[in-house]
């Protein structure tokens, strides 16, 4: 069973964004993959609004990502947190796939000259 890390926004409308991440994870699970959406789990015991707890959640997510086979970028916006996850995947040789964006668009947003990303969804 392939482990697929779900990379999607959290900031903004937390409730809506977590519900979307759960939908993405369910889609992957129904394909026979082990879907990992850490921001759906870590927010149960860490407060994303507290900077130290947000940092800890992001670090835990990256540690978990390093044990996955793929990172699936979901949605049409790449947040700052997602950008860090994508960079971590590339640095560790983990396959990056786009659900809603092309790999070219993802790479341009993360590594391009403009490095455009949105924090809010």
């Amino acid at each position: 069973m392939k482990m697929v890390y779900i990379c999607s926004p959290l900031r903004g409308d937390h409730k809506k964004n977590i519900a979307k991440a759960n939908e993405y994870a369910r889609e992957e699970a129904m394909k026979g993959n082990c879907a990992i959406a850490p921001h759906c789990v870590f927010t149960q015991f860490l407060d994303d609004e507290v900077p130290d707890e947000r940092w800890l959640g992001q670090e835990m997510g990256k540690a978990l990502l390093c044990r996955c086979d793929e990172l699936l970028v979901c949605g049409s916006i790449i947040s700052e947190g997602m950008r860090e996850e994508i960079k971590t995947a590339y640095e560790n040789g983990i396959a990056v796939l786009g659900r809603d964006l092309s790999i070219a668009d993802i790479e341009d947003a993360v590594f391009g000259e403009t490095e455009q990303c949105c924090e809010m969804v």
Side-chain angles (χ1 to χ4, degrees), residues 17-65:
N17 291 340
I18 287 174
K20 288 296 292 178
N22 280 322
E23 287 177 29
Y24 301 139
R26 178 176 169 73
E27 285 176 12
E28 286 304 304
M30 298 310 289
K31 292 178 186 175
N33 295 320
C34 179
I36 309 292
H39 49 311
C40 296
V41 176
F42 297 160
T43 55
Q44 299 299 304
F45 56 89
L46 294 174
D47 185 344
D48 193 62
E49 297 299 320
V50 176
D52 286 345
E53 292 188 28
R54 177 174 171 75
W55 176 85
L56 179 58
Q58 290 174 320
E59 291 302 303
M60 290 169 43
K62 288 188 274 186
L64 188 55
L65 169 58

Side-chain angles (χ1 to χ4, degrees), residues 96-111:
V96 175
L97 305 171
R99 179 185 179 276
D100 305 296
L101 293 172
S102 71
I103 292 301
D105 287 340
I106 293 166
E107 289 177 348
D108 187 49
V110 175
F111 302 110

